[in-house]
């Protein structure tokens, strides 16, 4: 027996007027019309066979959801401000603190006469801190708000970043840098907050352009090191590098809490106030009608990542993020080795000749070394531009798959005994595409998970990436001593598998709004607004005059 749902489609007009169409029978495509936005409604099938649109349509009243309001208000002054603040978090709390690792390690190696394994541990402990905290920060952001989790993580990093400058001995700086890494693990939540305020058409481009702030942060850190290291030393570098975090902590008071989170936590007044604020700053009218509140008490639970709907997505994304970090940081380490050797074929013999010497030699970073660090950073811009051009054309999944495939292909080409120029080109292309693929994963992950688990999903993926970053030195440095070709096979094979995993992701998020709940809960919400499901309370609140 077939049944039909009779729905009224809400049309939000930029004139401030709201009208409803006559009763429409769901039998194909429907539209919610907003100025500058034309969204096709994708029907989903319920267990009883009834079809309802995936977006919101209410049978009795003019109503809207946060997604409708964000699309209606559009991209404007508020999003520009948010882009700068999110970029500041990315540059100061992530890029600068990570770039310090390349500068601090050789300095302490010389000043404190540290053996090589202790120098390597200084880098590893930061990744251990990030790996152990990423899931925790995701849980905090889902339970207590995106803004709350982000503020705590930034203040944590600021406090221990400054304390690192006063470390008297190696054991102290090892612990303090580990605690800094613990705070850095919360930085990806800035992307969660950012994505939840972006209209669908601007979301991918804006998140990808955050990579520009990564480059700004790393360039600023290198220039700061050039000025500070020769005169004031590494302690002042650590202290001054933490100060931009203080600026971000102050600007956090301007940041609103995510309206999507407020809706899910049942705080309709705050959600409506936030949406009105965005509309005012953008000079756009609010949609008329009532805001739909979908309260969900159980948020940020690990089991929600492994429901039948998300199980494969979670597992595949974990491997994709692992492969991204494993390959990206591995390439960074391999680049130095390849350039010092001149070509791939002579690297094994060179390492054997200088193995004893390297463990005893102490070399401070020179101006030429700082220049190389700058060029390495700038090589990522082409990858971001390519990703920016294709991600809305071929989709998120194919973009990630293409990035992994190109990296894998370039790695295999290194089997040839190419000269320095060709080697540079291959490494440049590989670095560009793996960095672009990393950013594509940052676009896809917040889009695929619903609001209740979005921060946790991104946090666990970020944690898996740190596992890859921890393992890769053993391949790029230790295995390289035994066999260059085996090392390249490992990286190429890993990325080839990641390309396949990207193709097998069950959900493509291109052109899809951010989901507030799972499909089943959404279907229940469409059929009956008054019905309740375990842990979820829904109501129509906040009438807009």
């Amino acid at each position: 027996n077939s049944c039909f749902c009779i729905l009224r489609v809400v049309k939000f007009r930029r004139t401030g007027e709201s009208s409803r169409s006559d009763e429409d029978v769901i039998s194909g495509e429907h539209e919610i019309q907003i100025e500058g936005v034309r969204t096709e409604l994708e029907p989903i099938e319920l267990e009883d066979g009834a079809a309802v649109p995936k977006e919101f349509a209410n049978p009795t009243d003019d109503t809207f959801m946060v997604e409708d309001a964000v699309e209606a208000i559009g991209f404007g002054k508020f999003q520009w401000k948010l882009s700068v603040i999110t970029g500041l978090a990315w540059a100061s709390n992530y890029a600068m603190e990570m770039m310090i690792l390349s500068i601090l390690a050789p300095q302490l190696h010389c000043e404190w006469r540290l053996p090589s394994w202790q120098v390597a541990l200084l880098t590893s402990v930061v990744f251990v801190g990030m790996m152990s905290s990423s899931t925790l920060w995701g849980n905090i952001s889902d339970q207590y708000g995106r803004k709350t989790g982000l503020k705590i993580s930034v203040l944590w990093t600021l406090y221990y970043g400054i304390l690192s400058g006063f470390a008297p001995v190696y054991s102290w700086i090892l612990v303090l840098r580990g605690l800094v890494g613990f705070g850095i693990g919360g930085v990806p939540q800035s992307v969660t907050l950012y994505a939840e305020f972006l209209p669908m058409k601007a979301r991918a481009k804006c998140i990808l352009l955050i990579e520009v702030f990564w480059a700004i942060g790393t360039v600023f850190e290198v220039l700061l090191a050039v000025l500070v290291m020769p005169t004031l030393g590494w302690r002042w570098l650590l202290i001054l590098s933490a100060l931009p975090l203080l600026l971000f902590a102050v600007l956090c008071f301007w940041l609103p809490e995510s309206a999507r989170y407020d809706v899910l936590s049942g705080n309709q007044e705050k959600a409506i106030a936030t949406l009105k604020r965005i509309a005012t700053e953008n000079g756009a009218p609010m949609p008329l009608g009532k805001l739909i509140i979908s309260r969900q008490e159980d948020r940020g639970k690990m089991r929600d990542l492994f429901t039948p709907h998300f199980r494969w997505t979670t597992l595949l994304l974990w491997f994709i993020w692992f492969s991204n970090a494993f390959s990206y940081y591995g390439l960074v380490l391999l680049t130095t080795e390849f350039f010092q050797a001149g070509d791939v074929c002579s690297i094994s013999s060179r390492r054997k000749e200088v193995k004893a010497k390297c463990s005893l030699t102490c070399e401070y970073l020179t101006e030429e070394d700082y220049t190389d660090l700058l060029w390495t950073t700038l090589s990522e811009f082409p990858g971001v531009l390519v990703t920016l051009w294709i991600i809305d054309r071929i989709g998120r999944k194919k973009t990630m798959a293409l990035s992994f495939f190109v990296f894998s292909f370039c790695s295999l080409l290194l089997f040839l005994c190419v000269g320095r120029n060709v080697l540079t080109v291959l490494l440049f292309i590989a670095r560009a595409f793996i960095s672009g693929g990393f950013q594509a994963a940052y676009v896809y992950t917040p889009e695929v998970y619903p609001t209740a688990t979005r921060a946790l999903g991104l946090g666990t993926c970020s944690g898996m990436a740190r596992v890859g970053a921890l393992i890769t030195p053993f391949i790029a440095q230790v295995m390289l001593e035994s066999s260059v070709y085996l090392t390249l096979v490992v990286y190429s094979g890993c990325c080839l598998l990641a390309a396949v995993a990207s193709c097998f992701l069950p959900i493509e998020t291109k052109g899809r709004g951010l989901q507030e709940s799972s499909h089943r809960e959404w279907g229940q919400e469409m059929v009956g607004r008054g019905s309740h499901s375990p842990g979820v309370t829904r109501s129509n609140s906040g009438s807009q005059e």
Side-chain angles (χ1 to χ4, degrees):
N1 295 327
S2 60
C3 64
F4 297 93
C5 294
I6 308 301
L7 302 175
R8 300 174 189 260
V9 179
V10 182
K11 296 183 180 180
F12 299 117
R13 302 180 186 276
R14 291 301 297 266
T15 58
E17 299 175 358
S18 175
S19 63
R20 286 174 295 185
S21 67
D22 294 332
E23 294 182 346
D24 294 321
V25 177
I26 297 301
S27 59
E29 294 184 352
H30 292 257
E31 299 176 357
I32 291 178
Q33 295 181 352
I34 307 170
E35 182 184 67
V37 179
R38 186 177 185 274
T39 307
E40 291 185 357
L41 300 185
E42 180 185 346
I44 61 171
E45 193 130 330
L46 302 181
E47 293 178 351
D48 59 3
V52 298
K54 197 171 185 179
E55 298 295 328
F56 172 73
N58 189 44
T60 56
D61 298 307
D62 279 357
T63 53
F64 65 93
M65 301 189 74
V66 174
E67 180 77 12
D68 301 323
V70 170
E71 295 294 334
I73 295 169
F75 191 95
K77 186 177 179 181
F78 173 85
Q79 281 80 10
W80 280 114
K81 291 180 182 177
L82 187 62
S83 298
V84 173
I85 294 177
T86 305
L88 179 61
W90 208 249
S92 61
N93 199 7
Y94 210 168
M96 290 178 66
E97 292 294 336
M98 294 303 293
M99 180 54 72
I100 284 177
L101 299 177
S102 302
I103 300 169
L104 183 64
Q107 185 72 21
L108 291 183
H109 176 52
C110 294
E111 190 171 319
W112 287 356
R113 299 295 174 182
L114 299 176
S116 298
W117 69 270
Q118 286 187 334
V119 175
L121 196 57
L122 274 174
T123 300
S124 297
V125 75
V126 176
F127 287 117
V128 169
M130 295 171 69
M131 178 186 67
S132 61
S133 68
S134 295
T135 300
L136 175 64
W137 292 122
N139 183 269
I140 290 173
S141 297
D142 278 332
Q143 292 275 7
Y144 305 104
R146 283 73 164 111
K147 181 180 176 180
T148 301
L150 187 57
K151 282 198 301 184
I152 295 174
S153 69
V154 167
L155 292 174
W156 179 289
T157 308
L158 172 65
Y159 179 70
Y160 288 107
I162 293 176
L163 279 184
S164 298
F166 298 95
V169 292
Y170 173 78
S171 58
W172 273 88
I173 198 167
L174 190 67
V175 171
L176 289 171
R177 295 313 294 176
L179 291 171
V180 168
F182 191 92
I184 296 174
V187 179
Q189 300 312 323
S190 62
V191 177
T192 304
L193 179 64
Y194 186 45
E196 292 182 341
F197 282 117
L198 293 173
M200 181 175 61
K201 289 185 178 179
R203 191 181 305 127
K205 295 181 178 65
C206 289
I207 295 176
L208 283 173
L209 288 175
I210 292 296
E211 178 72 10
V212 174
F213 287 93
W214 171 279
I216 292 172
T218 51
V219 169
F220 181 80
E221 184 63 37
V222 173
L223 294 177
L224 185 64
V226 171
L227 296 173
V228 173
M229 291 293 283
T231 54
L232 301 176
W234 62 269
R235 295 183 185 275
W236 275 102
L237 179 66
L238 291 179
I239 294 170
L240 293 175
S241 297
L243 291 184
L245 292 172
L246 182 61
L247 175 61
F248 177 77
V250 172
L251 292 176
C252 270
F253 289 99
W254 176 87
L255 279 176
E257 181 54 83
S258 167
R260 297 176 190 271
Y261 168 81
D262 285 333
V263 162
L264 210 64
S265 59
N267 199 335
Q268 65 258 32
E269 292 84 3
K270 283 187 65 178
I272 293 168
T274 298
L275 293 173
K276 283 183 176 179
R277 172 185 167 184
I278 300 172
T280 300
E281 290 198 34
N282 287 4
M286 277 280 290
L288 300 182
K290 298 177 180 179
L291 176 64
I292 297 299
I293 302 299
S294 300
R295 182 165 185 170
Q296 185 169 335
E297 299 294 344
D298 273 347
R299 300 185 303 273
K301 301 297 183 183
M302 184 67 76
R303 65 174 181 269
D304 293 335
L305 300 180
F306 293 95
T307 59
H309 185 66
F310 288 111
R311 184 182 298 123
W312 276 110
T313 298
T314 297
L315 293 175
L316 290 173
L317 274 179
W318 281 5
F319 179 69
I320 288 168
W321 278 72
F322 170 89
S323 301
N324 258 320
F326 178 75
S327 304
Y328 176 85
Y329 291 109
L331 184 65
V332 171
L333 295 173
L334 287 174
T335 300
T336 304
E337 299 291 342
F338 289 158
F339 281 166
Q340 288 177 343
D343 61 77
V344 176
C345 296
S346 61
I347 191 169
S348 295
S349 58
R350 177 188 173 276
R351 287 185 67 90
K352 290 176 182 177
E353 291 173 4
V354 301
K355 184 176 180 182
K357 180 183 175 183
C358 286
S359 61
L360 300 174
T361 301
C362 172
E363 296 181 357
Y364 289 95
L365 290 178
T366 64
E367 186 175 338
E368 185 180 358
D369 294 325
Y370 288 121
T371 303
D372 290 340
L373 286 173
L374 286 174
W375 279 113
T376 303
T377 300
L378 294 176
S379 70
E380 297 182 14
F381 276 101
V384 174
L385 294 176
V386 171
T387 306
L388 193 64
W389 187 73
I390 66 175
I391 195 166
D392 279 327
R393 287 174 169 81
I394 66 175
R396 281 61 162 147
K397 292 164 54 177
K398 290 180 181 178
T399 299
M400 290 188 286
L402 178 63
S403 299
F404 282 123
F405 179 78
V406 172
F407 179 93
S408 180
F409 183 68
C410 289
S411 299
L412 291 177
L413 288 180
L414 291 176
F415 273 69
L416 306 175
C417 292
V418 295
R420 177 66 178 254
N421 291 337
V422 177
L423 174 66
T424 302
V425 171
L426 290 176
L427 292 175
F428 190 93
I429 294 173
R431 177 77 176 265
F433 272 88
I434 197 64
S435 62
F438 218 148
Q439 287 303 112
Y442 267 108
V443 174
Y444 179 85
T445 307
E447 288 183 335
V448 76
Y449 287 112
T451 301
T453 54
R454 185 170 296 126
L456 180 63
L458 184 62
T460 55
C461 287
S462 178
M464 289 303 297
R466 305 317 148 197
V467 175
L470 271 173
I471 295 175
T472 201
F474 295 97
I475 306 299
Q477 293 175 328
V478 178
M479 184 181 287
L480 191 68
E481 295 181 7
S482 303
S483 172
V484 178
Y485 301 112
L486 180 59
T487 301
L488 293 175
V489 166
V490 170
Y491 284 112
S492 180
C494 181
C495 280
L496 201 57
L497 291 174
V500 174
S502 300
C503 293
F504 276 94
L505 284 168
I507 303 169
E508 172 57 70
T509 61
K510 174 193 170 187
R512 192 181 81 150
L514 294 184
Q515 304 300 294
E516 306 300 335
S517 57
S518 68
H519 284 179
R520 183 174 180 179
E521 288 174 345
W522 194 283
Q524 291 170 345
E525 184 177 307
M526 292 302 101
V527 173
R529 294 290 175 198
S531 64
H532 298 272
S533 59
V536 180
T537 306
R538 297 182 173 82
S539 62
N540 296 350
S541 307
S543 178
Q544 302 300 307
E545 300 300 333

